[in-house]
Amino acid sequence: MQDGDLLFFSGKSIWSRIIKARSNSKFSHVGMMFWFNGEQWVIEALEGKGVRLVPRSIWKHWKGKTTAMTLTLTGSQREKMIRYALHHVGCEYASRRQFVRSFSLVWSKLANWLKLRADTDRSRFFCSELCLAAIRNAGLLIHKQPARTSPGELYRTLLDSGLVAGVD
């Protein structure tokens, strides 16, 4: 794997099950891989932790299945993605208000009808929001709102985009 490639996670917790059911996907979480001092790390946004760096070896010990997605990107695009994500390390996870705005069936439809912004706080992130924002920061035109995109939707969107070199 290279910098900027994505790791999709299928968890078994109650929140993972809710996310997977709501998004009709097998994935509940996503992080971005990068190399530092010869070791693989993951940049992720996690409830209660915010945007953080985690050794990839930790991911291997979580309960659940991890799927790696290799993207067809230039070195410059990969660098822009990682720089964007690293710049946000320490930011908070998206608020409960953002979660309700983005993923509650009733409230998201009402908010869309009222034309309320999808992103309620641009300094806080969901896992998939962080990854998609980094991809868009690299100049790749993915026509999805980061704050409204679940891990499963990001996975399907990237598969359809032609940016995927492989999935493992």
Side-chain angles (χ1 to χ4, degrees):
M1 291 194 73
Q2 300 178 55
D3 288 350
D5 288 342
L6 302 179
L7 296 167
F8 290 86
F9 181 74
S10 180
K12 297 178 181 179
S13 73
I14 187 68
W15 286 113
S16 292
R17 290 177 183 168
I18 290 170
I19 292 167
K20 291 187 292 188
R22 175 63 178 94
S23 62
N24 193 28
S25 170
K26 63 183 178 180
F27 300 112
S28 58
H29 188 60
V30 62
M32 184 183 313
M33 209 289 298
F34 82 108
W35 288 88
F36 180 71
N37 285 342
E39 186 178 358
Q40 289 181 325
W41 288 77
V42 177
I43 306 167
E44 67 176 354
L46 191 65
E47 173 73 35
K49 306 290 184 187
V51 179
R52 67 183 190 158
L53 305 174
V54 179
R56 183 169 179 207
S57 59
I58 299 285
W59 272 52
K60 293 178 183 179
H61 299 292
W62 286 351
K63 293 179 183 174
K65 182 180 181 332
T66 302
T67 300
M69 179 180 277
T70 304
L71 302 175
T72 55
L73 304 171
T74 67
S76 173
Q77 289 169 323
R78 291 178 184 280
E79 183 181 325
K80 287 177 184 177
M81 285 176 63
I82 296 301
R83 193 174 329 126
Y84 178 90
L86 287 174
H87 176 76
H88 290 91
V89 168
C91 288
E92 292 183 58
Y93 190 77
S95 67
R96 285 185 173 80
R97 179 175 172 233
Q98 175 69 48
F99 186 84
V100 169
R101 166 60 183 98
S102 295
F103 299 109
S104 167
L105 269 170
V106 174
W107 289 112
S108 63
K109 287 183 189 255
L110 179 61
N112 289 342
W113 183 74
L114 293 171
K115 299 187 187 313
L116 298 176
R117 282 187 11 217
D119 194 352
T120 62
D121 187 341
R122 294 179 191 263
S123 66
R124 298 175 77 153
F125 295 90
F126 291 122
C127 59
S128 47
E129 178 183 13
L130 176 68
C131 291
L132 182 50
I135 289 167
R136 290 174 69 174
N137 187 68
L140 302 169
L141 299 176
I142 304 293
H143 299 289
K144 290 273 188 183
Q145 289 182 324
R148 297 279 324 242
T149 304
S150 70
E153 290 167 323
L154 178 60
Y155 181 85
R156 290 187 297 268
T157 299
L158 288 172
L159 283 178
D160 293 342
S161 73
L163 293 172
V164 177
V167 176
D168 181 24

